[in-house]
């Protein structure tokens, strides 16, 4: 699958997560204070909770339900109770749009 435009960069709030579903894959997209855009799997690996409803702090996204923090760069959980990582997707910003291919995950 080719990358899909999910939104404009200017539509993303700074240090806020937004949820998009691309080809059936739920993805949380975050723009940090430096303007860098990240895309990680939207479902917490500890429970079936949307991470996009959580809190962004530095380079992490915290699940609102149980407090697990996931690295935006690696998808790895940095705090318990989650111990399994979420996928991290390649993000392309072109022509002011955020493009994601849900079939391309990054390993860090």
């Amino acid at each position: 699958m080719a990358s899909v435009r999910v939104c404009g960069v200017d539509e993303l709030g700074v240090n806020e997560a937004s949820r998009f579903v691309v080809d059936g894959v739920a993805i949380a997209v975050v723009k940090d204070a430096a303007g860098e855009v990240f895309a990680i799997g939207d479902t917490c690996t500890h429970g079936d909770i949307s991470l996009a409803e959580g809190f962004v702090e530095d380079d992490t996204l915290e699940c609102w339900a149980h407090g697990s923090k996931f690295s935006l760069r690696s998808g790895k959980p940095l705090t318990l109770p989650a111990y399994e990582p979420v996928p991290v997707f390649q993000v392309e910003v072109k022509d002011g749009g955020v493009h994601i291919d849900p079939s391309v995950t990054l390993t860090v």
Side-chain angles (χ1 to χ4, degrees):
M1 169 177 197
S3 64
V4 174
R5 185 183 192 279
V6 295
C7 67
V9 174
D10 57 351
E11 295 173 50
L12 296 172
V14 175
N15 289 331
E16 295 177 0
S18 298
R19 182 179 192 270
F20 299 94
V21 177
V22 182
D23 197 33
V25 178
I27 300 172
V29 178
V30 174
K31 179 171 68 174
D32 70 10
E36 192 170 358
V37 179
F38 300 92
I40 68 172
D42 183 52
T43 305
C44 178
T45 56
H46 173 253
D48 191 17
I49 304 291
S50 172
L51 291 176
E53 296 176 21
F55 312 100
V56 177
E57 184 178 338
D58 299 323
D59 65 345
T60 65
L61 181 52
E62 180 180 345
C63 178
W64 65 269
H66 300 109
S68 290
K69 290 184 180 183
F70 294 87
S71 167
L72 293 172
R73 296 185 184 281
S74 69
K76 293 179 183 174
L78 304 175
T79 59
L80 294 173
Y83 57 89
E84 292 291 327
V86 293
V88 175
F89 302 96
Q90 181 176 323
V91 174
E92 290 182 85
V93 177
K94 55 185 174 185
D95 300 324
V98 176
H99 298 258
I100 300 169
D101 182 343
S103 68
V104 178
T105 56
L106 306 174
T107 55
V108 178

